[in-house]
């Protein structure tokens, strides 16, 4: 029987809960057999450390139930990840993209290094857009409870490392789809900017 080890392609079905300071759990995201979380173990970036340790050696059909503290999951909330950007970054055909750039929207962007990131629009002013690039679950503990659905050898294409998109859908384990409806991202509205490394 195939077991999870570096280089194996893995699919998971799970429920993701956020855990607040009082220990209360809130369901944030669900995957299942029709919408699995997929990655190459040891290659795909972004798998949280406690989950990675727990999955090592598991086989198809095995279950997992992992709790991670904020620092082990998506990190503590960092005020320095809030950036004020010029509005002209968000111009489409010479006009400000107000349909998609509004408070509460998650916007896919690209850093100067070519990494895809997603930011939450906090505020739009006359000249600027204030964006929060913290992960939506930053500062919170998480619980992942689910089952290993698939374990097999990865193809050569799958072995190419992914940057991960960091989308706001909650399942940021490095191989998420930035056009996922849960993500809040909008296909065709990647905004390139933040060239000063502010993100």
């Amino acid at each position: 029987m195939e077991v999870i080890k570096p280089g194996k392609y893995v699919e998971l079905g799970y429920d993701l809960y956020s855990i607040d300071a009082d220990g209360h759990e809130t369901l944030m995201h669900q995957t299942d057999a029709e919408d699995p979380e997929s990655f190459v173990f040891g290659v795909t970036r972004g798998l949280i450390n406690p989950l990675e340790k727990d999955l090592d050696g598991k086989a198809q059909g095995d279950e997992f139930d992992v709790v991670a503290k904020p620092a082990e999951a998506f990190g503590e909330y960092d005020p320095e990840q809030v950036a004020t950007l010029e509005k002209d970054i968000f111009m489409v055909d010479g006009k400000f993209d107000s349909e998609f750039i509004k408070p509460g929207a998650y916007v896919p962007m690209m850093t100067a290094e070519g990494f895809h990131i997603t930011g939450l629009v906090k505020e739009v002013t006359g000249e600027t857009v204030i964006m929060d690039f913290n992960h939506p679950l930053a500062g919170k503990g998480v619980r992942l409870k689910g089952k290993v659905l698939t374990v097999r050898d990865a193809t050569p294409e799958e072995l190419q490392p992914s940057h991960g998109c960091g989308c706001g859908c909650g399942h940021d384990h490095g191989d998420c789809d930035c056009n996922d409806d849960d993500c809040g991202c909008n296909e065709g509205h990647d905004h390139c900017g933040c060239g000063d490394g502010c993100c």
Side-chain angles (χ1 to χ4, degrees), residues 62-123:
D62 286 350
E63 296 184 348
F64 57 89
D65 189 349
V66 175
V67 174
K69 297 175 182 176
E72 300 170 318
F74 301 104
E76 299 292 349
Y77 186 85
D78 181 3
E80 293 193 12
Q81 293 297 314
V82 178
T84 300
L85 306 178
E86 297 297 322
K87 249 181 165 178
D88 60 6
I89 290 173
F90 304 96
M91 295 290 193
V92 176
D93 297 327
K95 293 177 61 177
F96 179 71
D97 192 358
S98 59
E99 182 180 351
F100 294 105
I101 311 303
K102 55 190 176 184
Y106 283 97
V107 179
M109 298 186 73
M110 189 177 292
T111 68
E113 295 78 24
F115 289 96
H116 289 278
I117 57 172
T118 298
L120 172 66
V121 179
K122 300 289 283 184
E123 185 180 349

Side-chain angles (χ1 to χ4, degrees), residues 31-57:
T31 66
D32 54 33
E34 288 73 43
D35 178 30
E37 179 73 33
S38 61
F39 55 92
V40 178
F41 193 77
V43 175
T44 304
R45 293 175 20 163
L47 196 66
I48 63 175
N49 194 47
L51 179 62
E52 185 171 22
K53 286 182 178 178
D54 189 74
L55 290 175
D56 195 4

Side-chain angles (χ1 to χ4, degrees), residues 1 36 61 79 107 161-162 170:
M1 179 179 285
V107 179
S162 167

